Amino acid sequence: MSRAWNFSAGPAALAEAVLKRAQAEMLDWNGSGASVMELSHRGKRFMELAAATERRLRRLLDIPSNYKVLFLQGGATQHFAQIPMNLAPEGGTADYIVTGIFSKKAASEAAFHVDARVAATSESTDFLTLPPRPAWRLNPQASYVHYTPNETIRGLEFHEIPDVGDVPLVADMSSNILGAPLDVSRFGMIYAGAQKNIGPSGLVLMIVRDDLLARPPRPIAKILRYAEQAANDSMLNTPNTWGWYLAGLTFEWIEQEGGLAAMAERNARKSAMVYDTIDGSNGFYRNDVERAARSRMNASFVLHDGALDSMFLAESEAAGFIGLKGHKAVGGMRASLYNAVSPAAVEALVQFMRDFAARHG
Ligand SMILES: *Cc1c(COP(=O)(O)O)cnc(C)c1O
């Protein structure tokens, strides 16, 4: 059996060391005589794992003490709806920066619970650019400003944190969290589905500033309230213990690899390899995203002749690559280059791309 070169957008590759460790511990975790999946989340062993996992994440991201870390469920999408319920009063307003399919969906799901105003959008360029900051029409009365630092589908990334004044900034970092060092203090809230850069699907990581948790609650079910989750160690009900455990293994792996600075360096190198191959292909491959906003996590590209798409996919699969098909909404190809994708995998990919272009150019 051999492992494929995995470029899936999500659920995505996990570090091989993490998978091997989980495999080795599958039947008997931590001397418990059971798999971590078979143990109470309220037992001493799991409570210790939860605490250690949070400590590790706090170290990695240097999370200030006035932020809580939550391990939730529901995927990022559920939180598109839950965030306005928690952060905005009944009849309140929030600003949304719409730069792709996920931020657009975040705004439309939020609109059931808040006056979700689109303060800036790049939809007119088909989400190939970022709306220039001076053109944003921010409302100082907004309860928060929501944006998506990395739009996974096009591969469009903010390389700087936008300044939005005193209104709390809320970021969906599902596809770029832990890809580079981050100044958490610039945000009111950060949240991420785990299945791209953290672990398996079914887990959502949230980092939220205390003053946002202290906002007066709406009359919503307790299970939907972040402040209640924070007060109960994210254990209002049975959490995704397996996902939590794998997240912890991933955080440990990142530390062993040299932390977020090392991840950033590797990710810059990996994405440069792919973009250099595209740009050096004499038009055989093309990436139409505004240069300054190219994503380090998701490199999308089209072939000069769409009739070659199915051949590219078939040949790449035969050569041991998976997950290269672009999102159905935009077509083409996409190589997702999350932390767990090794430089060796990217080296193999760009070699394949050059060979393919030479054979079909
Ligand atoms: C994948 C992704 C989502 C959707 O996550 P789910 O966990 O499937 O709800 C949302 N936002 C971004 C930026 C993503 O990459």
Side-chain angles (χ1 to χ4, degrees):
M1 199 215 75
S2 68
R3 287 191 38 90
W5 301 118
N6 187 354
F7 292 91
S8 298
L14 290 171
E16 202 163 292
V18 166
L19 294 173
K20 284 190 170 144
R21 169 100 177 261
Q23 182 181 45
E25 296 178 344
M26 184 64 83
L27 299 185
D28 176 11
W29 170 64
N30 199 11
S32 66
S35 158
V36 67
M37 279 184 278
E38 302 174 295
L39 295 171
S40 169
H41 57 295
R42 302 202 186 279
K44 185 165 173 289
R45 285 177 206 273
F46 192 83
M47 295 293 276
E48 277 172 13
L49 175 150
T53 301
E54 176 173 338
R55 278 198 306 274
R56 235 181 251 287
L57 183 74
R58 284 186 176 277
R59 268 205 306 273
L60 276 174
L61 278 169
D62 199 11
I63 300 174
S65 59
N66 61 327
Y67 287 74
K68 295 284 184 292
V69 175
L70 306 180
F71 290 84
L72 305 173
Q73 302 180 62
T77 308
Q78 182 177 308
H79 296 276
F80 292 169
Q82 224 173 304
I83 285 166
M85 294 181 200
N86 277 272
L87 300 189
E90 209 97 48
T93 74
D95 280 340
Y96 279 77
I97 310 305
V98 174
T99 52
I101 288 174
F102 282 121
S103 45
K104 190 175 173 182
K105 193 166 172 192
S108 68
E109 289 293 297
F112 291 96
H113 307 287
V114 70
D115 175 15
R117 299 189 187 167
V118 176
T121 176
S122 55
E123 192 162 15
S124 64
T125 69
D126 211 12
F127 298 130
L128 291 169
T129 62
L130 292 175
R133 177 63 188 83
W136 296 14
R137 295 197 321 251
L138 294 174
N139 169 12
Q141 308 307 321
S143 289
Y144 58 89
V145 180
H146 180 283
Y147 86 122
T148 305
N150 185 66
E151 278 286 357
T152 320
I153 289 173
R154 277 283 190 210
L156 178 79
E157 183 177 6
F158 284 85
H159 292 281
E160 272 165 33
I161 303 168
D163 183 358
V164 297
D166 293 334
V167 177
L169 186 59
V170 173
D172 172 6
M173 291 200 187
S174 294
S175 54
N176 68 337
I177 192 158
L178 303 177
L182 183 71
D183 181 357
V184 173
S185 72
R186 299 281 307 277
F187 298 88
M189 171 188 278
I190 293 164
Y191 67 106
Q195 67 271 25
K196 279 107 187 199
N197 236 352
I198 297 173
S201 58
L203 178 75
V204 172
L205 183 66
M206 183 171 280
I207 301 165
V208 51
R209 210 172 58 209
D210 287 341
D211 60 292
L212 298 190
L213 291 175
R215 288 183 173 184
R218 286 202 201 183
I220 55 172
K222 194 170 160 181
I223 190 72
L224 298 176
R225 288 186 225 152
Y226 298 139
E228 290 286 346
Q229 288 288 11
N232 290 277
D233 299 324
S234 307
M235 291 190 189
L236 278 179
N237 68 333
T238 316
N240 177 352
T241 54
W242 173 244
W244 205 325
Y245 158 77
L246 282 172
L249 294 188
T250 298
F251 300 161
E252 200 174 332
W253 172 77
I254 293 173
E255 276 192 331
Q256 282 162 359
E257 293 288 304
L260 297 184
M263 290 295 128
E265 186 278 322
R266 254 170 60 139
N267 291 333
R269 201 149 39 88
K270 282 152 50 187
S271 55
M273 280 161 70
V274 177
Y275 290 122
D276 287 351
T277 302
I278 295 167
D279 295 339
S281 71
N282 287 319
F284 188 89
Y285 302 109
R286 222 175 61 238
N287 170 288
D288 293 328
V289 172
E290 171 189 10
R291 283 240 174 185
R294 282 176 165 181
S295 168
R296 287 165 295 189
M297 293 279 107
N298 313 94
S300 64
F301 54 95
V302 293
L303 279 65
H304 73 99
D305 176 1
L308 290 170
D309 282 8
S310 55
M311 210 181 295
F312 183 92
L313 288 168
E315 286 190 23
S316 63
E317 205 171 308
F321 297 92
I322 58 175
L324 286 170
K325 194 176 190 329
H327 191 275
K328 60 184 185 317
V330 297
M333 308 298 153
R334 173 177 48 175
S336 293
L337 308 170
Y338 304 124
N339 288 346
V341 176
S342 67
V346 180
E347 186 55 62
L349 174 65
V350 298
Q351 190 59 51
F352 172 83
M353 288 172 69
R354 286 196 213 101
D355 290 350
F356 186 88
R359 275 182 285 114
H360 299 281

